[in-house]
Amino acid sequence: QVKLLQSGAELVKPGASVKLSCKTSGFTFSTSYMSWLKQVPGPSIEWIGWIYAGDGGTNYNQKFKGKATLTVDKSSSTAYMDLSSLTSEDAAVYFCARGVTTFDYWGQGVMVTVSS
Amino acid sequence: DIQMTQTPSSMPASLGERVTISCRASQGISNYLNWYQQKPDGTIKPLIYYTSNLQSGVPSRFSGSGSGTDYSLTISSLEPEDFAMYYCQQYDSSPPWTFGGGTKLELK
């Protein structure tokens, strides 16, 4: 069955970067689109962007350009998201999900805490 | 960006009750509207895509409807596992895709 397993919770210092992972199984990763989303208390969900695992092509929400960088490793069927220059505004739960417009499978989410 | 307004933000309801959650877009979205359920443990599951199509495995008590700017999710008879958060999401024309603020369905 389809699984998206995200890495564990992160505690990072302001100004630092963090790389989140999303290891997939149960489907053909190399021809799939993977998206990343951000959830903050409120509650509110924001779409960050998607990446096509086949060629690494990406599409970002303008709001997250320069903040998030999406990559994939086809050999391990894993999607990654780098978040840079972290501030308190970046503290959230981040999800990976399969799909580009409709997200049919989601990871369990990973909490990122930004604190010195 | 297209703004999605969900109402109500919270809804107390009883087992067996019929409930409807509304979602209004700031402009017409041509039925490009999905619904998701988030359980208290944080897991998110898709329910409905393109306004009214049930995702595989979703019980038939869930249904979606709407057009233009106004959409709704209806649960015909609440089961214990339906008490959760619900979100609408639009994907009309070009990104960014946007979500509603969520509706918390609570046991009355």
Side-chain angles (χ1 to χ4, degrees):
Chain A
Q1 70 276 33
V2 173
K3 290 185 179 179
L4 280 65
L5 185 61
Q6 297 187 239
S7 45
E10 299 275 0
L11 172 60
V12 293
K13 295 187 184 321
S17 298
V18 69
K19 188 169 188 172
L20 309 181
S21 66
C22 174
K23 183 166 177 56
T24 74
S25 60
F27 63 98
T28 306
F29 181 78
S30 61
T31 58
S32 295
Y33 288 84
M34 298 297 297
S35 289
W36 289 84
L37 303 103
K38 175 183 181 183
Q39 184 172 37
V40 297
S44 169
I45 300 175
E46 293 181 283
W47 171 77
I48 295 171
W50 55 251
I51 182 167
Y52 179 57
D55 61 6
T58 55
N59 192 333
Y60 292 94
N61 183 337
Q62 183 70 30
K63 177 179 178 180
F64 293 93
K65 283 185 177 178
K67 170 63 65 178
T69 302
L70 306 184
T71 57
V72 296
D73 176 359
K74 287 192 285 187
S75 68
S76 63
S77 300
T78 302
Y80 297 94
M81 178 172 68
D82 273 289
L83 295 170
S84 63
S85 304
L86 289 165
T87 72
S88 59
E89 298 290 307
D90 300 312
V93 176
Y94 291 89
F95 291 90
C96 61
R98 190 180 75 166
V100 63
T101 58
T102 298
F103 313 117
D104 59 357
Y105 292 94
W106 293 63
Q108 82 276 22
V110 57
M111 180 173 291
V112 173
T113 303
V114 181
S115 174
S116 54
Chain B
D1 298 356
I2 297 175
Q3 306 302 313
M4 304 300 291
T5 302
Q6 249 181 273
T7 55
S9 57
S10 67
M11 175 185 285
S14 304
L15 290 171
E17 188 174 340
R18 178 186 179 92
V19 298
T20 297
I21 297 168
S22 298
C23 186
R24 173 167 287 177
S26 58
Q27 64 189 66
I29 55 172
S30 304
N31 292 103
Y32 293 112
L33 191 284
N34 299 325
W35 290 94
Y36 300 89
Q37 178 193 64
Q38 184 172 33
K39 289 292 185 74
D41 67 357
T43 57
I44 298 178
K45 168 185 167 180
L47 295 175
I48 289 173
Y49 64 97
Y50 194 56
T51 296
S52 59
N53 297 276
L54 255 60
Q55 288 277 0
S56 176
V58 174
S60 59
R61 63 181 180 273
F62 290 90
S63 63
S65 64
S67 63
T69 61
D70 294 317
Y71 299 84
S72 61
L73 171 70
T74 296
I75 309 173
S76 61
S77 180
L78 282 171
E79 297 285 335
E81 61 268 28
D82 299 337
F83 293 94
M85 287 289 296
Y86 292 86
Y87 295 92
C88 60
Q89 172 238 331
Q90 68 79 24
Y91 57 105
D92 182 47
S93 60
S94 59
W97 318 136
T98 49
F99 288 75
T103 295
K104 186 173 185 179
L105 193 51
E106 303 173 292
L107 185 60
K108 188 185 289 183

